[in-house]
Amino acid sequence: MEACSLARTIGLWSLPIHPRMFFSTVFRVLPKLLGLPPSLMKKFLKIKHEKIKHEHIHPPHMEIEVGGSPELPHELLVDIFALLEIPDLKRASSVCSSWRSAYTSLCNLGLYKRPQTPCLLYTSESAGESVAFLYSLAEKRSYKLTLPDPPIHTRYLIGSTNGWLVTADERSEMHLLNPITCQQIALPSVITIEHVTPIFDEAGALSKYHYSRHTGSPRLSRFCSDQPSILALAELRSYLHEKAFVFYDAYAGGHIVVLIHSPYGQLSFARLGDDKWTWLSQHSFFHDCIYKDGLLYAVTSQGKILAFNLRGPVVTTELIMDITKDFTYENIYIAQAPCGGLLQVWRTQETSEYVEDADPATYLTNTANIKIFKVDTMAEKLVGIDSLDDHVLLLGLNQTLYLSVEEYPHLKANHVYFTDDCELYLFGCQNSRRDIGIYDLANDTCEELSPQLWSNWPNPIWITPSLTRL
């Protein structure tokens, strides 16, 4: 069967088709559907064009002339596309109108449920301010994305959950952004956060912010300055924003955005549709959060875990685990194990001054050690774990992920994939080389993810591609 005959079979009607996209899609999808081995499928296709020698070279489009054979049924195309990961799915949707229609149906009807292998989202200085890339861990290659304004290269990336980025723009205002669908949602204004007050100029335009360092803790308030800082619009995000999350609350039928922010790692939250942020006072020094069974679990720098019930008119708090460690330089993460229990992860980073034609000096930070503990709430202690067995962890400014290699076979079992979340990079060290890699728990060694193709700012971040619309 010639390539043209195969095109006839699946309904490509005289359309310009990128050959790599077309044949890649055929090899990936049709063998699964028709039960044909890849070797037999290759015999059917006789590619008459010059072989593509390098992955990064884009060959010319080719024209496939076909006759009037019937198209593959729409419902069958939808079933095929449901097997693809999102990068392949997006490629397939651009092949022709019937494939685009099947893609649209799959998204609109909520039929797409395939688990997605996490990707690294990053920017490249040479690609333009509005361009980002997804580095696929499944395919070991990158995909280019053009994103809506404000330009992604001018934003801070402060969180990633379920396919959604949380960003802070040059006015320090926050947005949710789905880089796959390009849907974007403005979050309540930063001036509604307890510690921020707007300053307007004579014309009534917002010009600066008052940033207060007060807390809800009388003990901490003794160490806080009574006078707020006056910060430029873009400067506030370096001082205020730390890490953000987007959680779905099935009971309320809506999404909650949680922000860890300065001073002292405090918490504020807002439901989509709210016009202001709600401050969770009295508690500080939080590092990470998850949302489980209607409760927000947050872990502090000393290993304390608190559970907040955000559903009622008044937020209630429960102590799950008391302080387990003294203050150290470790970053602490919290994750949910498949059995339903909680995990604490301690990540030690070594920071040294690194001077190489830099003024001021930049800093080089490397992950030195990762320790994992099971949270034993009954005994109120942490139990060390030597191995993740057939699971992996993903750490960084993303929601901490604990995944099974059975479901995500492209990931390495008993490894931790990590990206930077070091606060040093917010204060004059944005051009420093980022700490990105894979940590082998079996022998306590690190390896680079790949040659560092990404720019150092905004910070690369793990994201699980999603077609979900909010």
Side-chain angles (χ1 to χ4, degrees):
M1 182 185 296
E2 296 278 344
C4 295
S5 300
L6 182 59
R8 225 179 261 119
T9 302
I10 61 177
L12 301 176
W13 297 88
S14 301
L15 292 171
I17 301 167
H18 191 296
R20 180 171 294 279
M21 179 191 301
F22 169 65
F23 291 112
S24 173
T25 302
V26 168
F27 287 137
R28 289 175 185 273
V29 180
L30 288 187
K32 297 178 182 178
L33 180 72
L34 303 177
L36 297 176
S39 58
L40 182 57
M41 181 61 70
K42 290 179 182 178
K43 291 181 181 179
F44 285 159
L45 302 176
K46 296 178 181 178
I47 304 175
K48 299 179 180 179
H49 298 271
E50 181 180 356
K51 182 178 180 181
I52 303 169
K53 296 180 180 179
H54 301 289
E55 192 69 28
H56 65 279
I57 296 177
H58 297 286
H61 283 59
M62 67 178 181
E63 193 81 14
I64 298 180
E65 299 294 337
V66 300
S69 298
E71 296 182 357
L72 201 64
H74 178 84
E75 293 78 8
L76 199 52
L77 275 175
V78 172
D79 290 341
I80 296 172
F81 287 178
L83 302 174
L84 299 178
E85 288 213 24
I86 283 177
D88 282 335
L89 181 62
K90 294 290 287 185
R91 267 208 309 263
S93 71
S94 64
V95 168
C96 64
S97 58
S98 62
W99 286 30
R100 179 69 183 179
S101 176
Y103 164 80
T104 302
S105 295
L106 186 67
C107 298
N108 292 343
L109 297 176
L111 301 176
Y112 188 74
K113 305 295 184 182
R114 191 190 194 284
Q116 298 297 304
T117 304
C119 299
L120 185 71
L121 186 137
Y122 66 96
T123 62
S124 172
E125 294 177 359
S126 62
E129 289 194 337
S130 296
V131 172
F133 294 87
L134 278 182
Y135 178 79
S136 169
L137 292 176
E139 298 184 74
K140 305 295 189 296
R141 59 167 294 182
S142 296
Y143 295 88
K144 181 178 178 180
L145 304 171
T146 301
L147 303 179
D149 287 336
I152 191 67
H153 198 70
T154 66
R155 308 196 207 188
Y156 282 18
L157 303 181
I158 60 173
S160 168
T161 313
N162 298 327
W164 286 85
L165 299 173
V166 188
T167 72
D169 65 19
E170 291 182 297
R171 296 171 65 88
S172 298
E173 296 288 7
M174 288 169 279
H175 296 83
L176 299 184
L177 172 63
N178 185 324
I180 302 300
T181 66
C182 289
Q183 183 186 8
Q184 185 165 244
I185 299 172
L187 294 175
S189 176
V190 71
I191 66 175
T192 67
I193 291 178
E194 177 72 20
H195 305 80
V196 181
T197 305
I199 300 175
F200 300 97
D201 61 20
E202 294 180 355
L206 179 66
S207 60
K208 297 178 181 179
Y209 297 113
H210 279 296
Y211 167 57
S212 172
R213 291 180 173 83
H214 72 274
T215 75
S217 167
R219 180 178 60 87
L220 283 178
S221 294
R222 291 180 299 168
F223 303 99
C224 300
S225 171
D226 293 332
Q227 296 298 320
S229 299
I230 298 179
L231 302 173
L233 299 185
E235 192 179 12
L236 176 67
R237 58 187 176 173
S238 296
Y239 289 86
L240 182 73
H241 302 85
E242 294 184 15
K243 190 173 183 178
F245 312 84
V246 187
F247 300 122
Y248 180 70
D249 185 352
Y251 176 83
H255 288 79
I256 301 172
V257 181
V258 177
L259 176 66
I260 302 178
H261 60 85
S262 294
Y264 303 118
Q266 300 183 71
L267 290 176
S268 292
F269 76 95
R271 299 183 183 276
L272 290 192
D274 286 354
D275 58 5
K276 66 182 183 68
W277 292 89
T278 299
W279 178 37
L280 298 178
S281 59
Q282 304 300 323
H283 303 285
S284 304
F285 301 109
F286 290 106
H287 272 211
D288 200 18
C289 300
I290 61 170
Y291 198 75
K292 175 178 175 284
D293 300 329
L295 297 175
L296 174 69
Y297 291 85
V299 63
T300 73
S301 58
Q302 292 180 286
K304 179 192 289 187
I305 299 176
L306 296 170
F308 298 90
N309 189 334
L310 309 181
R311 288 178 174 174
V314 177
V315 175
T316 59
T317 307
E318 178 185 358
L319 178 65
I320 303 299
M321 173 71 69
D322 210 341
I323 293 173
T324 58
K325 61 192 288 292
D326 295 328
F327 282 106
T328 66
Y329 291 103
E330 292 138 338
N331 276 1
I332 296 189
Y333 309 86
I334 187 170
Q336 181 177 353
C339 61
L342 297 175
L343 300 177
Q344 270 192 31
V345 183
W346 298 2
R347 172 184 175 186
T348 304
Q349 292 176 285
E350 295 178 344
T351 302
S352 60
E353 191 170 0
Y354 176 75
V355 182
E356 183 177 326
D357 299 325
D359 185 22
T362 58
Y363 288 85
L364 187 64
T365 301
N366 293 306
T367 294
N369 184 261
I370 294 176
K371 296 180 180 179
I372 304 169
F373 304 89
K374 179 181 178 182
V375 179
D376 187 338
T377 55
M378 297 296 293
E380 297 184 355
K381 66 177 183 179
L382 300 179
V383 180
I385 296 176
D386 295 329
S387 173
L388 293 176
D389 298 325
D390 57 350
H391 288 78
V392 300
L393 278 165
L394 283 93
L395 306 179
L397 285 172
N398 56 287
Q399 179 188 348
T400 304
L401 297 176
Y402 185 75
L403 305 176
S404 166
V405 294
E406 181 178 356
E407 192 170 11
Y408 300 91
H410 300 288
L411 302 180
K412 296 181 178 181
N414 199 33
H415 284 68
V416 180
Y417 293 72
F418 60 86
T419 62
D420 257 322
D421 50 8
C422 179
E423 292 184 13
L424 277 176
Y425 289 101
L426 300 178
F427 297 96
C429 303
Q430 295 178 4
N431 292 324
S432 298
R433 189 175 185 275
R434 308 312 300 244
D435 183 23
I436 301 173
I438 309 172
Y439 187 89
D440 186 344
L441 290 167
N443 53 31
D444 295 323
T445 59
C446 289
E447 63 179 280
E448 285 196 350
L449 181 66
S450 74
Q452 290 216 352
L453 304 176
W454 41 83
S455 67
N456 293 328
W457 194 261
N459 49 295
I461 190 170
W462 297 118
I463 187 168
T464 305
S466 171
L467 296 174
T468 302
R469 296 186 65 85
L470 301 186

